[in-house]
Amino acid sequence: MEYTYKYPRPAVTADCVVMTKESVPEVLLIERGADPYKGCWAFPGGFMNMDETTEQCAIRELEEETGLQVSELHQIGAYSKVDRDPRGRTITVAYLVIVDHPIAVTGQDDAAKAQWFSVDALPPLAFDHEDIMRDAINYYKMRFPQGL
C-alpha cells in the first residue's frame, strides 16, 4: 500500500565521532570528497537507508568511509538546526565510538582521506560538526574523567 504524506519529511543521517582513550585523545575525521563542503573535514557519516536504524547507519558509514569496523556506540544526541545541511532539511543522530589508540584508516567511498587529529588541534569542521564535537567531548569527559 502506497501512502503520500501531506507534509514534506526531512532526511536522516548518522555521524560517528571516534575518539581515542588517551591522555590527549585523537579524533578520526574524513576529508569530504564531494560537495557540499568538498575538501573540508567532517565526521564519518551519511544518509540512513530505509531498512536500517541510525546505529546501523553510523556503523555502516564509518566502515564505508574509513574501513574501521566497530560494534559499540554511545549516542551523543540528535542535531536538527534547520540550516545544518545545504542539501536540504536533514536531521542527524551523532554517536561516540571510543578506541584505545589510533587505528589504521583509509579514506574510502565519498571520503577523500581519513586522518586522526588531536582534540587540541582540530581543523575547521563542516556542517554543525563543531557543535557535535563539543558535545562529544563533554560526553567523553563524563565517561573518562581522567582524560582531557
Side-chain angles (χ1 to χ4, degrees):
M1 180 169 124
E2 205 171 300
Y3 183 80
T4 304
Y5 287 91
K6 182 177 176 182
Y7 303 101
R9 294 180 289 168
V12 178
T13 61
D15 291 304
C16 260
V17 181
V18 183
M19 295 177 68
T20 61
K21 192 176 10 173
E22 299 175 292
S23 58
V24 178
E26 292 189 35
V27 177
L28 176 60
L29 299 175
I30 56 109
E31 181 183 343
R32 291 186 52 81
D35 283 324
Y37 298 105
K38 182 177 182 176
C40 294
W41 293 96
F43 300 122
F47 289 94
M48 184 175 73
N49 294 329
M50 293 302 285
D51 64 345
E52 65 186 355
T53 65
T54 55
E55 293 90 347
Q56 291 167 330
C57 175
I59 290 168
R60 174 183 54 79
E61 286 287 344
L62 178 62
E63 183 176 1
E64 285 178 3
E65 294 184 345
T66 70
L68 185 59
Q69 295 179 339
V70 299
S71 58
E72 186 176 343
L73 306 163
H74 307 278
Q75 186 175 327
I76 301 167
Y79 298 82
S80 62
K81 285 183 183 174
V82 173
D83 61 350
R84 66 172 301 278
D85 189 329
R87 294 170 291 193
R89 187 71 175 102
T90 307
I91 297 168
T92 198
V93 180
Y95 291 91
L96 178 63
V97 174
I98 300 168
V99 297
D100 289 334
H101 50 78
I103 299 166
V105 290
T106 306
Q108 303 175 150
D109 193 34
D110 55 354
K113 287 187 212 172
Q115 185 175 325
W116 293 93
F117 290 85
S118 168
V119 293
D120 294 340
L122 294 176
L125 301 176
F127 303 103
D128 58 352
H129 290 191
E130 289 181 17
D131 295 340
I132 295 170
M133 186 73 245
R134 181 192 63 242
D135 294 346
I137 288 172
N138 289 335
Y139 186 95
Y140 182 97
K141 285 179 180 178
M142 287 188 309
R143 300 250 332 164
F144 300 100
Q146 72 279 8
L148 295 178

